[in-house]
Amino acid sequence: MRLRDYFHLNVWLLPILVILVPIMLMVFGSSYLTTPNTYYLTVLEDGWSVQYDKISLSDTKLSEINLGPSRKGDSIIFSNTIPTEHVPSACLMFKSVLAVVTVSIDSEVIYTYGNEYLESGKMIPKHYNFIPLNKLDNPEGKTFTIKLVSSENNAFSGIPSVRYGNRYDLEQEFMQGKRLPLFVGCFLCMFAFILLTLSSYLYMYHSHDLSLFFSSLISFVLGAYNLAFNDIFCFLSDAESFFTFLEYITLYLVPFAIIAFLISSHPELNSRINTIIIIINILFPLIALILHFTDIIHVNIFIPVLHIIAIAEAIYELPQLVLNIWKEHKDKINTPEYTGITSDSLLVIGLAFFIVCSVIDIIKYNILKLFFGGAEAYADINFMTIGALCFVLTLFLSYFYHGIEHMNAVYMKDHLEGLAYTDSLTGLMNRAKCMQYMASVHGKFAIISIDMDNLKTVNDSLGHQEGDRMIRSFADIMKQSFVGSSLIGRTGGDEFLVAIENPDKDICEKMIADLKTRMQIFNKNEKNINLSASCGYAYSYEADENDASSVFVLADNRMYKEKETHHQAKLDRFVNDIFGGSESDERRQ
């Protein structure tokens, strides 16, 4: 079966993955695994009083408030009433983004966050604020006020939602709502580790191809960004500054990882413009990192710049890649290696899907920020999450298909070489292959020279068709007798050659004896032709120069000595048949 046919029979792997992944996503993202809350839990959506700049609102919803891009030092104050339902270990929970937080109940401050960062000039990280109410006497029905002070320009444009309930229930609800990004993020990070391990091995022992390394970088930055953006790190760890920084820096590394991967896997994209793009993608996160840690400009400021860079590079790179893939597809479609779909085609589909998903989330984020408010509080990256997962899966599939293509190419190469070096009548190696082998063999080896007897007689008396059958029959017996040899070849009409590397003691004698035994068995069952052969062998240590030519000459000379013996035996039998044994008796005397 051709490899192409084998490939087509196994394309069922692709639909299985296409079906399995959405099922897993639906399970992790649905409510099937959701555990109900133990106590009362609610989102305080209605009845808010809000003061911002010169704006004063009452009895409003937080999600409907558009503050516009905030400026450093801007403050927003919003207040509401604690629900009357009593809850053990009751808490208020809300998320703050780059802001100083002050919470008071009936004008008494009970909670603050972020002042120490602001005083030291550091960036205030994202933070989930839990305000415990169990220390207060009968907090139900009391008025609480939250004040947010922006520590950065464009820190936020809306007010985050506020929840009330038991702390355990609040934490459980958060984690259950983050099952999908948790699954995708962990999968991408683990897949990145596998790719990194594989790329290190391949780089050291097989090639200097870096595409697999950049594949692992893509998978890691997408996985880490997914976990950081969805606040899983910040929620589970106290190292909020680090993980807030990680969210931004991994996002800034995405363009570099993708462009570097494309150029390393498609050398035709290695142009001067792409070199400049790579340099920009390296300098951008590096400059952001330096400015951030020197507290000159914090890392969050560069988000609009990233959006511009990402969209511009997508517009420039993707058409080039699609055009190159189309050209390669047209070149391969009529070749024996063509399998109906290429690894590059899969990769482009996955990359295009990821880019489209990312652009949707970028547009959605900016629309929320500019026109509706709350981009930082309510925006998600669900499209980018699904796009990242699909891209990494197509990345994996592209390597799978690349392996198929490579095996197919090797198969075709071996097949063509087989046609060039195989004797069409016997299936043994031909003279050209024998000469090539003799020129390359070294070390310890043995050579057997064989000359099949009576071929000319059979051709003259029975015809060349029977002569060809005689040669094929002898070749089949040779294949059985010389199992384990390095080469079995036909060097001429009735001349054959066998080579054995690292031969055991007396291996040639044993193989030749087996050959003669099999010929005797064949002759007992054959009426028209009779197989016999003259054999000579030599070991490499027997020749003075210890090269294949010298060893072959020695083996060939010994073969001719045996052939002369065979001729003399035939002559003796012929004379004996004519003279009734008198002549042969005289010879023996």
Side-chain angles (χ1 to χ4, degrees):
M1 181 184 294
R2 293 185 64 190
L3 188 59
R4 179 190 296 186
D5 300 327
Y6 176 81
F7 173 79
H8 283 308
L9 289 176
N10 285 277
V11 294
W12 49 267
L13 289 172
L14 183 57
I16 284 180
L17 283 173
V18 171
I19 295 172
L20 183 61
V21 170
I23 290 176
M24 295 178 66
L25 294 178
M26 285 189 292
V27 170
F28 275 88
S30 67
S31 59
Y32 293 113
L33 303 178
T34 300
T35 303
N37 297 318
T38 305
Y39 302 103
Y40 175 81
L41 188 152
T42 186
V43 179
L44 304 179
E45 177 65 16
D46 302 319
W48 287 92
S49 298
V50 179
Q51 294 181 1
Y52 175 70
D53 199 10
K54 298 179 180 180
I55 301 173
S56 181
L57 303 172
S58 60
D59 195 20
T60 187
K61 293 183 178 180
L62 294 183
S63 59
E64 296 178 350
I65 299 174
N66 180 13
L67 305 176
S70 63
R71 299 178 300 275
K72 185 175 182 179
D74 286 354
S75 64
I76 178 171
I77 301 172
F78 49 106
S79 59
N80 206 333
T81 303
I82 298 174
T84 56
E85 285 79 4
H86 176 72
V87 177
S89 300
C91 282
L92 295 170
M93 185 191 84
F94 61 93
K95 173 184 174 182
S96 59
V97 180
L98 308 175
V100 176
V101 180
T102 304
V103 179
S104 57
I105 294 183
D106 292 342
S107 302
E108 180 184 352
V109 176
I110 63 170
Y111 175 86
T112 60
Y113 174 80
N115 284 304
E116 63 277 13
Y117 291 100
L118 188 64
E119 292 171 358
S120 61
K122 303 294 183 182
M123 182 181 74
I124 301 177
K126 292 192 306 183
H127 182 68
Y128 274 83
N129 301 272
F130 286 90
I131 295 89
L133 304 177
N134 57 321
K135 294 182 180 180
L136 303 177
D137 294 331
N138 300 319
E140 297 84 4
K142 293 184 177 180
T143 300
F144 69 94
T145 302
I146 300 174
K147 180 180 180 181
L148 301 179
V149 180
S150 175
S151 64
E152 307 282 349
N153 290 323
N154 298 318
F156 53 80
S157 59
I159 305 174
S161 61
V162 180
R163 284 169 164 76
Y164 170 77
N166 174 267
R167 175 156 187 161
Y168 174 80
D169 285 346
L170 291 169
E171 293 174 346
Q172 177 180 267
E173 182 200 37
F174 174 86
M175 292 306 300
Q176 290 183 152
K178 300 295 183 180
R179 279 197 305 266
L180 179 60
L182 178 63
F183 165 74
V184 174
C186 291
F187 171 80
L188 293 177
C189 289
M190 288 188 293
F191 189 66
F193 175 76
I194 295 172
L195 289 177
L196 179 62
T197 304
L198 182 60
S199 67
S200 301
Y201 170 77
L202 293 177
Y203 184 84
M204 288 187 294
Y205 295 103
H206 291 276
S207 68
H208 287 192
D209 183 11
L210 290 174
S211 61
L212 202 60
F213 169 77
F214 288 117
S215 301
S216 67
L217 181 61
I218 292 173
S219 187
F220 172 75
V221 295
L222 291 177
Y225 175 70
N226 190 282
L227 293 172
F229 179 88
N230 286 283
D231 309 321
I232 295 171
F233 289 138
C234 288
F235 195 84
L236 298 177
S237 171
D238 291 333
E240 296 167 319
S241 294
F242 172 76
F243 289 118
T244 301
F245 171 76
L246 181 68
E247 173 186 341
Y248 289 103
I249 207 66
T250 50
L251 180 61
Y252 296 165
L253 284 171
V254 170
F256 164 72
I258 292 177
I259 298 299
F261 166 75
L262 289 177
I263 293 177
S264 62
S265 59
H266 297 81
E268 65 273 11
L269 296 178
N270 192 9
S271 63
R272 180 175 297 179
I273 295 178
N274 281 326
T275 301
I276 294 173
I277 290 175
I278 282 286
I279 294 172
I280 292 173
N281 287 331
I282 293 174
L283 291 177
F284 175 62
L286 183 62
I287 292 172
L289 184 148
I290 294 172
L291 294 177
H292 176 80
F293 282 106
T294 55
D295 293 322
I296 298 174
I297 301 176
H298 289 152
V299 71
N300 63 290
I301 299 298
F302 300 98
I303 288 291
V305 179
L306 173 73
H307 289 171
I308 295 172
I309 290 176
I311 293 176
E313 291 180 0
I315 293 173
Y316 176 76
E317 296 291 346
L318 198 55
Q320 287 188 81
L321 190 60
V322 172
L323 183 61
N324 287 330
I325 297 305
W326 175 248
K327 289 180 179 178
E328 290 181 8
H329 176 78
K330 289 178 64 177
D331 292 339
K332 288 183 178 180
I333 195 168
N334 294 320
T335 62
E337 295 85 0
Y338 180 68
T339 55
I341 189 170
T342 65
S343 56
D344 285 338
S345 301
L346 275 174
L347 188 62
V348 170
I349 292 171
L351 181 59
F353 183 72
F354 168 71
I355 290 174
V356 170
C357 290
S358 300
V359 169
I360 291 174
D361 276 335
I362 289 173
I363 294 172
K364 184 174 65 175
Y365 174 90
N366 285 283
I367 289 175
L368 280 174
K369 190 177 184 71
L370 297 175
F371 301 106
F372 295 97
E376 295 77 13
Y378 300 103
D380 57 53
I381 55 169
N382 290 337
F383 283 101
M384 186 178 180
T385 299
I386 301 300
L389 181 61
C390 291
F391 174 63
V392 171
L393 287 176
T394 56
L395 192 64
F396 170 77
L397 287 174
S398 72
Y399 282 110
F400 171 76
Y401 277 66
H402 180 71
I404 294 291
E405 293 166 359
H406 175 71
M407 288 188 291
N408 201 13
V410 171
Y411 167 80
M412 293 305 302
K413 179 182 177 183
D414 292 343
H415 179 66
L416 293 174
E417 286 184 352
L419 293 176
Y421 292 123
T422 302
D423 178 63
S424 58
L425 179 62
T426 63
L428 302 178
M429 295 295 100
N430 61 15
R431 182 179 182 86
K433 181 64 177 179
C434 291
M435 295 302 100
Q436 184 190 70
Y437 178 84
M438 296 280 283
S440 62
V441 68
H442 61 277
K444 296 180 180 179
F445 59 92
I447 291 177
I448 303 175
S449 178
I450 304 173
D451 192 286
M452 188 176 66
D453 298 333
N454 305 320
L455 177 61
K456 186 177 185 303
T457 303
V458 171
N459 283 333
D460 292 343
S461 60
L462 301 178
H464 286 277
Q465 185 174 358
E466 280 296 288
D468 288 346
R469 187 170 73 87
M470 183 179 183
I471 294 173
R472 285 195 298 268
S473 300
F474 183 73
D476 292 339
I477 292 175
M478 285 187 65
K479 294 174 186 177
Q480 299 171 19
S481 299
F482 296 104
V483 174
S485 58
S486 303
L487 176 77
I488 306 174
R490 180 187 178 202
T491 59
D494 57 359
E495 298 173 352
F496 297 85
L497 178 73
V498 177
I500 307 164
E501 294 186 26
N502 299 314
D504 295 332
K505 184 179 180 181
D506 300 329
I507 187 65
C508 294
E509 294 92 328
K510 293 176 182 178
M511 286 183 168
I512 292 172
D514 184 69
L515 173 70
K516 293 180 177 181
T517 300
R518 291 179 186 274
M519 285 191 294
Q520 291 174 2
I521 296 172
F522 176 85
N523 292 334
K524 289 180 181 179
N525 301 315
E526 175 60 41
K527 297 179 180 180
N528 294 332
I529 58 177
N530 186 279
L531 295 181
S532 66
S534 302
C535 304
Y537 62 87
Y539 293 91
S540 56
Y541 60 81
E542 295 182 277
D544 294 336
E545 298 182 14
N546 195 29
D547 60 65
S549 298
S550 301
V551 178
F552 172 73
V553 169
L554 182 58
D556 204 45
N557 289 336
R558 290 173 177 174
M559 182 272 294
Y560 276 110
K561 287 182 180 179
E562 182 173 307
K563 195 173 188 69
E564 290 175 2
T565 303
H566 288 179
H567 280 303
Q568 187 62 50
K570 287 181 182 179
L571 181 61
D572 287 346
R573 286 195 298 271
F574 178 72
V575 172
N576 185 59
D577 290 339
I578 293 177
F579 295 102
S582 59
E583 181 69 24
S584 59
D585 291 341
E586 291 178 5
R587 285 175 179 271
R588 284 193 292 271
Q589 292 174 0

